[in-house]
Amino acid sequence: SGGRGGATTGSGGSSSTAGTTGAGGATGVGGATGTAGTGGGTVVDQIQVAARCQPEMSAQEIKVTFEILNPGSVTKQLSDIKVRYYFSLTTPLPPTVYIDFAQKVPKEMVTSTVTTSYVELGFAPGTGSLAAFDNLIGTDQIQLRLGNYSTTTWNTSQDDDYSYKSCAGVTNTMAYADRTTMPGYYQGQLAWGSEPAQ
């Protein structure tokens, strides 16, 4: 925080006693202006990932329908955004990534990085942008399918997949809800949700 300023006026001098008018006291010198405080750390402008619940799929594939929104204060290029979907595989073989449908984003512009614990989706340069304060439409729906069809025991249960959300108890299975277990990144920094504990 800034330093505290000094007093602004000095005290006046006292009057003389022999009928002679006393000299006025000198005006006090104001204190030095305080130094401005140092700003805090960099704040990452957020993105938001929302998804529909997922019915149990086969042991050979994972499906999720999601959208990316921009509640932040600046327009964001999609090429600066990435989203991860985490899973725990029974047979640790990397999946093939399929974009079965994309409402507003050309499917061929979606990029992917594949591991045996997550898939990271991104967007090629020139895909487009998300307007500032767009927390209603964003990319609109993207239908992601991950699959490995070489074994029938690839992912025998999705319940232990970090990013999975069951439809059990969900009244409206077509509704989107915040999915903080699908972390999102903006310009390389975590800007939504959280990664699983190591």
Side-chain angles (χ1 to χ4, degrees):
S1 60
R4 205 179 269 231
T8 55
T9 340
S11 302
S14 60
S15 300
S16 64
T17 56
T20 307
T21 305
T27 303
V29 179
T33 303
T35 304
T38 304
T42 302
V43 177
V44 178
D45 204 21
Q46 278 198 325
I47 62 172
Q48 182 179 354
V49 179
R52 294 175 180 171
C53 67
Q54 298 159 262
E56 188 71 29
M57 299 296 173
S58 76
Q60 293 179 295
E61 63 184 18
I62 298 167
K63 292 182 180 179
V64 62
T65 298
F66 71 98
E67 60 188 7
I68 304 170
L69 307 171
N70 179 20
S73 59
V74 298
T75 297
K76 296 180 178 66
Q77 296 300 312
L78 283 168
S79 57
D80 286 333
I81 293 173
K82 296 183 186 300
V83 173
R84 289 184 183 179
Y85 188 98
Y86 282 88
F87 39 75
S88 298
L89 301 178
T90 309
T91 303
L93 297 172
T96 302
V97 178
Y98 305 91
I99 302 298
D100 289 331
F101 178 76
Q103 186 75 38
K104 293 175 63 178
V105 179
K107 294 192 296 183
E108 63 275 10
M109 301 293 276
V110 179
T111 64
S112 62
T113 301
V114 181
T115 75
T116 55
S117 60
Y118 68 84
V119 166
E120 183 178 88
L121 298 181
F123 302 91
T127 303
S129 61
L130 297 179
F133 304 116
D134 179 3
N135 59 357
L136 293 176
I137 300 175
T139 60
D140 214 326
Q141 67 170 290
I142 299 173
Q143 295 179 8
L144 169 66
R145 175 165 52 100
L146 311 174
N148 189 301
Y149 305 101
S150 65
T151 173
T152 58
T153 60
W154 177 62
N155 190 23
T156 55
S157 173
Q158 294 186 48
D159 290 333
D160 62 350
D161 291 355
Y162 179 75
S163 298
Y164 176 73
K165 170 62 178 175
S166 169
C167 283
V170 177
T171 303
N172 183 1
T173 59
M174 300 299 287
Y176 290 89
D178 287 353
R179 186 72 65 88
T180 57
T181 54
M182 288 180 64
Y185 305 82
Y186 176 59
Q187 294 182 342
Q189 298 187 65
L190 184 66
W192 170 258
S194 58
E195 299 171 347
Q198 298 298 318

